[in-house]
Amino acid sequence: MSTRKAAAPSSAPMETPDPLDSRENQLLAIARTLFARHGYDRTSLRDIAEEAKITKAALYYYFPNKDALFERVVLESLQSLYDETSAAVARAQTPTERIRAFMEASAHVQDHGRDRWIAGSNAFWQGAKEGQRLAALKLRDSYEQLLRQCITEGVASGELRPVDPAMTGRLLLSALNHMPRWHKPGGRLSATEVMQQFLDILMNGLVQDTAASSSAARPAAHPPARKRKPATA
């Protein structure tokens, strides 16, 4: 999950709670959606209560303050993201496959929990207290370190060029972090499919090997013709 602030389109649909979920989970789904739409600071407990069609006093029964919501929205979302990407990386066989698994699993989270991603990012920057921020930073750092480790292993194995793992990780995560700004849910491509194309470009590069392509296009050289001796009578 990005802890870099990302804005959500105002037209984003309300995350629909599962009717079989508990009332607490329904309230969390509403809170995530409002945090994603309007930002953590600009969403009050009253807003959440009104959206849920309950009294503010009833909301206090589940969440006595916004600090409690921060812990549930941000910290639990970060932990879930880390767990999902870690599991995907563990199933991959090679460093390159592990990088792809990490990025595709992260994009999958956006496909199936975009409000979680955006709300967690907004709340991290806008409303965290020092202790909460430290806990969130620890989870975020573990998530980002997992990607850097995959890159480091790729360089060590020779699968990747000797790139800077930290810089390369920032480039890959930037592609993830900015996707909610422009990608439309329900569009032609899912976030995961977009990420697969991004990875093909980033892993393989844009510029063709001109030396190799020129060599392939050039006709094969023929050996010089031998001089014929003059005919004798």
Side-chain angles (χ1 to χ4, degrees), residues 162-206:
V163 295
D164 180 343
M167 191 66 68
T168 307
R170 292 188 188 101
L171 172 62
L172 291 169
L173 289 171
S174 293
L176 273 171
N177 296 341
H178 285 82
M179 201 183 306
R181 295 177 180 271
W182 59 266
H183 179 261
K184 294 182 179 180
R188 185 173 63 88
L189 296 175
S190 67
T192 304
E193 290 169 332
V194 170
M195 183 50 58
Q196 288 168 347
Q197 292 197 27
F198 279 3
L199 286 168
D200 287 341
I201 296 169
L202 290 169
M203 302 292 276
N204 300 324
L206 287 171

